[in-house]
Amino acid sequence: MSLADRWLLPDGVDEALPEQAAKIEYLRRTLLNLHESWGYHLVIPPLLEYLDSLLTGAGSDLEIETFKVIDQLSGRLLGIRADFTSQVARIDAHCLKDNGVQRLSYCGSVLRTMPAGLDGTRSPIQLGAEIYGHGGVESDVEVLSLMLQTLSTAGLSNVVLDLGHVDVVSGVLAACDLSADQKGKLIELYKAKDLPELDRYVEELSLRDLERRWLVGLPRLCGGKEVLLSATELLGGVNESIRNAIVLLQEVSESICQRFPTVGLHFDLSDLVSYSYHTGVVFAAYVPGHGNAIARGGRYNNIGQVFGRSRPATGFSTDVKALVSLTDVVVKKPKTVLSPICSSDALWKKVNSLRAEGYRVVEDLDDLYAGDADFKLDFVDDAWQLMPVQN
């Protein structure tokens, strides 16, 4: 490696310089305070865990995103977290053991082997919230509301909420007489939104005409509120799980429209972008001009079962760094005081007193800092006094 290359960072890994770092930290504190005001308790899981614990119940898609390392103490395989959800589920199931509703929030760095989208990072600062112990529509609405409030507090407007339900896709696939390979192929086509190839593939399958209409019609159930009516007409007779999913989406969307009338609503009933551990309503938030989702989440009722305590759960997450890049975060800077080097007890006490009052006090080491100062400390009338800096 040449000398010039030693300063390069890996693709998708970045660092925050002072101005951006101040915005990230300000927004992190602001959003965690918001979550606390909603009754969510902060947890801080470890950055790495034994791999079998970290990926328990998380699914193969998250395993692909996880960096693996060898623990030099035990010789066991460790994983660096790529997502907080399974860690927080373990905390609820194994550490807290509360039988009531549990609200938890978190914020910290994650590391992923692949970026999310063409312009995505591999090192987000993930912030999110989870509800455990409630399986009704009310907790779905609460998590969605907190996500939208989080984005609004961060300064985002013109948010479009994309809603789906995993039971729609799984219900259609289960109702058709398909092999595992055929289901896998269809899932790939749904994820890719490759409608022409989907039409050709379905035409080759030995299925009833009605089943073909289900399979090719499913990814076309994409749009506004009218999608739910079209879904009822096309898929309402498939099975009860699909009917219940459509009704639930209707209830959720009505509540969100009432609480956030300016948020755009979009439905995608073949959405399979979320992690495989999701079991019910899934959702994502978008803003115009930004291709990737700025927040994502959904229900995942089964993930706690592998920790010995199955509880209904739902949650969302977002990337603080992405929010900062999309908004004009204004950090209120404290007044800066330029001080001589503290060579006396009286000056030392004065400097610490000012810092306790909220001033930013900088000792003048090189006589180059005065241009950034609002005040300076001068010894006047036998005492150290704040004096305005004339710029």
Side-chain angles (χ1 to χ4, degrees), residues 1-127:
M1 177 181 291
S2 67
L3 181 61
D5 291 339
R6 291 174 186 170
W7 308 106
L8 296 177
L9 292 173
D11 289 343
V13 176
D14 55 8
E15 57 196 354
L17 300 181
E19 183 176 355
Q20 185 189 25
K23 293 180 179 181
I24 290 172
E25 178 60 15
Y26 174 81
L27 188 57
R28 184 191 72 86
R29 295 181 186 183
T30 300
L31 296 180
L32 286 177
N33 287 341
L34 170 69
H35 291 192
E36 184 180 22
S37 74
W38 281 54
Y40 288 73
H41 302 290
L42 179 66
V43 293
I44 306 177
L47 179 62
L48 76 168
E49 295 189 36
Y50 291 122
L51 190 65
D52 51 0
S53 172
L54 184 65
L55 297 181
T56 296
S60 59
D61 45 5
L62 190 57
E63 181 177 3
I64 294 171
E65 294 185 356
T66 302
F67 278 98
K68 289 90 172 176
V69 296
I70 298 295
D71 183 9
Q72 297 300 312
L73 293 179
S74 66
R76 294 177 60 184
L77 198 59
L78 301 176
I80 301 173
R81 67 175 176 228
D83 184 76
F84 273 90
T85 302
S86 60
Q87 291 186 300
V88 181
R90 174 183 55 76
I91 289 174
D92 172 72
H94 186 67
C95 302
L96 299 178
K97 301 180 181 179
D98 191 334
N99 291 325
V101 173
Q102 185 73 259
R103 293 175 173 89
L104 301 175
S105 65
Y106 56 84
C107 186
S109 295
V110 299
L111 191 62
R112 294 169 180 163
T113 58
M114 298 297 293
L118 295 177
D119 58 347
T121 177
R122 294 199 293 168
S123 58
I125 297 177
Q126 191 179 54
L127 176 139

Side-chain angles (χ1 to χ4, degrees), residues 272-298:
L272 292 171
V273 177
S274 301
Y275 288 125
S276 60
Y277 53 67
H278 283 122
T279 60
V281 174
V282 291
F283 48 85
Y286 296 86
V287 291
H290 187 69
N292 293 334
I294 55 171
R296 186 178 294 279

